[in-house]
Amino acid sequence: MMVVSAQELKSLALDKNIALQSCGDYFALERVLEESAKSSETADDLPSAHAFRLLSHLCLFSLRTNDGDTFSPRFQIDGRRSPLPIDFAGEQTIQLAEAISTFTPPLLLARVADTVWYNDRSRWQIALVAVSAYCACANQLLSGTIRSQFSAPGNDIDFDAFTYFERALEISAQANRKAPFPIEINETFELLYKKTRDSAEFVGFVRMAEMAARSGLRTWEQVSVDALGIAIEADSRNLYPVFRQKIWEIAATAFRRQKNKEQEQICRGKVADAMLAMRSCVSGAGAKASWTMDAIGYLRDAGGFKVRIEELTLELRALQVDALEEMVTFEHSLDLTEELDEVNKAFSELSLSNALRLFVGLAPTPKIGELNERAIKGQESSFHSNFSSHQVDQQGKVISITPSADEGGKLNPEWLKAQRSSNLSFERKYYVSSRIEPARRIFTEKFPVGTYCFDPIVEASPFVPPGHEFIFSLGFSSFFQGDYVRAAHILIPQLEASLRYLLEVAGTPSDKIKADLLQEDRSLSGILTSMRHQLEQLFGPDLTEEIDLLFHHKPGPSLRHEMAHGKFTTGHCYHDDAIYACWWMYRMTATPLLLQWKEIVEDALTRSEG
């Protein structure tokens, strides 16, 4: 990147640029500076064009106070991003520092000074320049001298003023740790705090109160008095419940910091009241149930609300039942004629041995990379990925919560896993409908199915633990006969036994020693959590993930959990996930024998048939 000199920056005469002085946000500032750069290019004044473009690029990173990294790129596309302060470190920072007195208006001065100090923390004098400039920006927004183009009409306080002040507070605390706050900080704080308190600007007051108490500009006692007064006024005016909730929360926090338990509990009860009041602002029973659940969780964390929690739990159950009536089923027709013809042609002329062999490969192991690509592609065009989602059971109870896709600018791994699980449910339905179930029907029409068909397979398979051979044969026989109730209840519980056996054979037993020195085997959950690396060494990451998503993970079928806790109904046994799981157990059992199928399986079946 070409370095723009301090002399080139000083030659811009920024104070005479009227359009620049009226900018109220960094989007507008960047646009004016870019237009100035283009005008300079047109006039063949390339040094000025380069200087204006540098300043416009400084306006391209977004300010994020009290949120990890102070600055983030305004946009990121295909691995590329807009500039960040670090891109101007080194010589360019030195040149910006030398020209610091040139920059105007305060909005531009604040960004340049902040960038210099961000890249070189030894320049504490320029940090104070940034503090003063940010405070000036906040004051200009408060007075109406400048106004952000994104400010809501009729709003007395531009919310960028809070952001600029908070950044000034952060810089002052970091650059001048032992000294008292500069006078600009105190004066700007008093203006903002008083304006939000007296005008009952609830969101702004909460933000200012938190900053005030955290920085020592106000005591918690002062905050509690002001917050309580505003909260009572908000309730009397019956304002939007979420606003009231935030005010009561800051009041509760203030009383907690003063160790005033009685007042704290009163405020916490008011927080729950505000949450419950949101039920009148939504129409669906599911949304009302969600707010009720939030109130229960809040009161449970607060403690001391046992009776009220019990009452709300009864209300929650009723709302969850009502919510089930609001759910709808989406149907999508698939033409599987081609797939069914292919299965019929493949199985119709096969011998028993070859049919059993071909049945192993009816569906491939899903690839994590391909599932992730599909999820990311869907996320780019899905508005719903910006929000968390709840999964409910047949009674409407929330059994899992999936977070939103975004996690601090990165893709949330929990969301990504939930999307893999969701996409696999459709794949399992497809394979069961188009291949597994049609092949099974053809098989039973051609051959008399019994345990004898599977005895050679289970006796030779390393996937079957010693002593479990007949259980597996009986499960497979039931599965091929279409008795899914028996097959599911026999085969699904065998997974843990097989995994423990394979881990023990591999020299990594799955048992654990408890605190009382007793030993016990890990459950499937424990194996997938504590011994996932060992499983991946045995099966590979893709197959291990399939085990997790089919038998354990929520949201997902969680077949092992549902079966172990007696939640598997007759209907569950005939669901595509259960049918696929039974087939999957067969595939895992038979796959190790494919290379020696004739010697191990075919010859044994020929002898038994003879």
Side-chain angles (χ1 to χ4, degrees):
M1 182 181 294
M2 184 180 67
V3 175
V4 177
S5 70
Q7 189 59 41
E8 289 170 333
L9 291 166
K10 291 177 180 179
S11 68
L12 294 180
L14 296 172
D15 58 329
K16 297 179 181 178
N17 190 322
I18 298 175
L20 205 63
Q21 308 303 316
S22 61
C23 292
D25 59 77
Y26 284 107
F27 287 89
L29 193 61
E30 183 268 331
R31 186 169 58 249
V32 171
L33 289 167
E34 181 61 26
E35 289 171 356
S36 297
K38 291 178 180 178
S39 297
S40 298
E41 286 175 338
T42 303
D44 289 329
D45 184 359
L46 293 184
S48 293
H50 293 151
F52 276 121
R53 186 148 290 126
L54 166 66
L55 297 179
S56 74
H57 287 173
L58 292 180
C59 298
L60 281 176
F61 30 91
S62 301
L63 177 61
R64 303 166 60 133
T65 55
N66 198 29
D67 187 27
D69 291 336
T70 303
F71 296 105
S72 64
R74 184 179 293 179
F75 57 82
Q76 300 182 71
I77 304 174
D78 297 331
R80 297 175 298 158
R81 60 166 175 78
S82 56
L84 285 172
I86 191 66
D87 300 327
F88 307 98
E91 183 60 30
Q92 188 60 77
T93 293
I94 295 173
Q95 297 302 315
L96 287 169
E98 289 184 13
I100 199 69
S101 61
T102 305
F103 301 110
T104 181
L107 198 62
L108 178 58
L109 176 59
R111 177 54 56 91
V112 174
D114 199 351
T115 301
V116 170
W117 185 74
Y118 186 92
N119 286 329
D120 185 354
R121 293 302 174 93
S122 67
R123 296 180 179 270
W124 61 269
Q125 300 96 330
I126 290 183
L128 296 181
V129 171
V131 169
S132 179
Y134 275 126
C135 287
C137 293
N139 280 284
Q140 286 185 335
L141 288 171
L142 283 174
S143 65
T145 306
I146 61 173
R147 191 166 184 83
S148 169
Q149 60 184 320
F150 305 108
S151 180
N155 196 341
D156 291 337
I157 304 178
D158 192 312
F159 276 85
D160 281 346
F162 300 114
T163 301
Y164 298 149
F165 174 74
E166 188 165 12
R167 181 56 182 157
L169 198 61
E170 289 177 353
I171 296 173
S172 181
Q174 294 168 5
N176 210 12
R177 295 175 183 269
K178 297 182 179 180
F181 287 120
I183 188 171
E184 296 95 336
I185 290 282
N186 290 286
E187 290 177 348
T188 305
F189 168 76
E190 293 298 335
L191 283 173
L192 276 170
Y193 188 85
K194 185 175 186 300
K195 194 170 183 65
T196 56
R197 182 193 63 197
D198 295 347
S199 64
E201 173 53 68
F202 305 109
V203 177
F205 175 77
V206 169
R207 192 168 177 182
M208 290 305 300
E210 290 173 343
M211 281 191 275
R214 189 170 63 240
S215 62
L217 289 167
R218 283 288 189 277
T219 65
W220 281 111
E221 183 178 1
Q222 292 171 313
V223 170
S224 67
V225 171
D226 292 335
L228 188 60
I230 293 177
I232 292 172
E233 180 185 352
D235 279 356
S236 67
R237 291 166 56 187
N238 197 30
L239 295 179
Y240 191 58
V242 169
F243 294 159
R244 289 147 51 193
Q245 174 190 336
K246 297 299 182 183
I247 296 293
W248 283 114
E249 282 178 349
I250 195 68
T253 300
F255 283 117
R256 178 176 59 82
R257 296 298 293 266
Q258 297 175 68
K259 303 188 184 305
N260 189 334
K261 187 67 175 177
E262 181 181 354
Q263 284 296 325
E264 179 193 352
Q265 288 298 89
I266 292 173
C267 292
R268 290 191 180 279
K270 293 291 187 178
V271 171
D273 289 342
M275 290 179 173
L276 295 170
M278 275 302 299
R279 297 188 297 189
S280 64
C281 300
V282 296
S283 57
K288 295 178 189 292
S290 178
W291 281 108
T292 306
M293 179 70 83
D294 288 346
I296 291 173
Y298 181 81
L299 293 173
R300 185 175 292 166
D301 290 340
F305 293 93
K306 181 180 179 181
V307 174
R308 192 172 187 196
I309 290 173
E310 291 174 352
E311 294 170 350
L312 288 175
T313 301
L314 293 176
E315 294 180 26
L316 175 65
R317 294 286 183 263
L319 288 169
Q320 288 174 333
V321 172
D322 291 342
L324 293 175
E325 299 297 323
E326 299 174 346
M327 295 186 180
V328 295
T329 300
F330 294 92
E331 295 184 359
H332 182 73
S333 299
L334 290 176
D335 183 2
L336 300 177
T337 304
E338 185 176 338
E339 288 87 344
L340 296 176
D341 289 343
E342 181 182 334
V343 170
N344 186 61
K345 181 178 179 180
F347 277 85
S348 58
E349 302 300 328
L350 293 178
S351 65
L352 173 60
S353 172
N354 287 334
L356 288 169
R357 192 176 194 276
L358 188 60
F359 203 82
V360 176
L362 292 177
T365 298
K367 304 294 184 183
I368 295 176
E370 294 175 2
L371 291 171
N372 287 345
E373 289 177 9
R374 195 186 314 171
I376 294 170
K377 185 176 180 181
Q379 182 261 340
E380 292 172 351
S381 59
S382 172
F383 177 71
H384 297 291
S385 65
N386 295 312
F387 305 96
S388 62
S389 59
H390 291 194
Q391 289 72 44
V392 300
D393 63 11
Q394 290 180 313
Q395 296 178 324
K397 299 194 297 291
V398 177
I399 57 174
S400 68
I401 299 176
T402 300
S404 61
D406 182 73
E407 184 183 47
K410 300 179 181 178
L411 207 58
N412 191 312
E414 291 184 36
W415 176 86
L416 195 59
K417 186 161 189 168
Q419 295 309 300
R420 292 199 296 268
S421 178
S422 177
N423 289 332
L424 279 180
S425 70
F426 292 103
E427 286 197 9
R428 287 192 288 265
K429 178 177 286 293
Y430 168 76
Y431 285 119
V432 168
S433 301
S434 66
R435 298 183 182 181
I436 296 172
E437 183 60 11
R440 185 199 65 77
R441 290 181 179 177
I442 295 172
F443 189 95
T444 55
E445 290 173 1
K446 289 194 61 177
F447 306 107
V449 179
T451 55
Y452 78 95
C453 299
F454 309 99
D455 287 342
I457 298 173
V458 300
E459 288 171 2
S461 175
F463 189 72
V464 180
H468 291 242
E469 294 85 357
F470 179 71
I471 298 174
F472 274 75
S473 286
L474 184 61
F476 294 146
S477 175
S478 301
F479 171 61
F480 275 76
Q481 290 169 359
D483 186 354
Y484 293 143
V485 175
R486 178 184 290 183
H489 281 83
I490 291 175
L491 293 173
I492 291 175
Q494 298 306 309
L495 173 65
E496 284 186 51
S498 293
L499 295 182
R500 284 196 291 266
Y501 173 63
L502 289 173
L503 287 169
E504 186 173 353
V505 170
T508 53
S510 64
D511 61 298
K512 61 181 179 179
I513 301 176
K514 300 195 299 181
D516 57 6
L517 301 183
L518 296 178
Q519 292 178 270
E520 68 177 12
D521 290 321
R522 285 185 170 90
S523 64
L524 179 61
S525 174
I527 292 173
L528 286 168
T529 302
S530 303
M531 306 189 70
R532 194 178 189 95
H533 176 68
Q534 290 88 332
L535 280 183
E536 290 181 348
Q537 287 183 319
L538 287 172
F539 301 122
D542 294 327
L543 188 53
T544 301
E545 180 73 353
E546 185 176 26
I547 294 172
D548 192 356
L549 296 179
L550 180 59
F551 294 96
H552 171 251
H553 181 68
K554 289 184 180 182
S558 189
L559 297 180
R560 181 268 175 197
H561 175 85
E562 299 296 296
M563 178 73 73
H565 293 275
K567 296 184 176 183
F568 235 65
T569 65
T570 301
H572 281 93
C573 298
Y574 286 86
H575 192 276
D576 297 308
D577 292 329
I579 295 173
Y580 183 92
C582 291
W583 168 82
W584 187 90
M585 290 292 291
Y586 174 76
R587 184 186 74 170
M588 292 296 293
T589 302
T591 296
L593 311 180
L594 291 178
L595 294 178
Q596 296 177 292
W597 191 265
K598 184 180 185 306
E599 295 82 357
I600 296 174
V601 179
E602 186 173 330
D603 291 349
L605 288 175
T606 300
R607 289 194 298 271
S608 84
E609 289 177 336

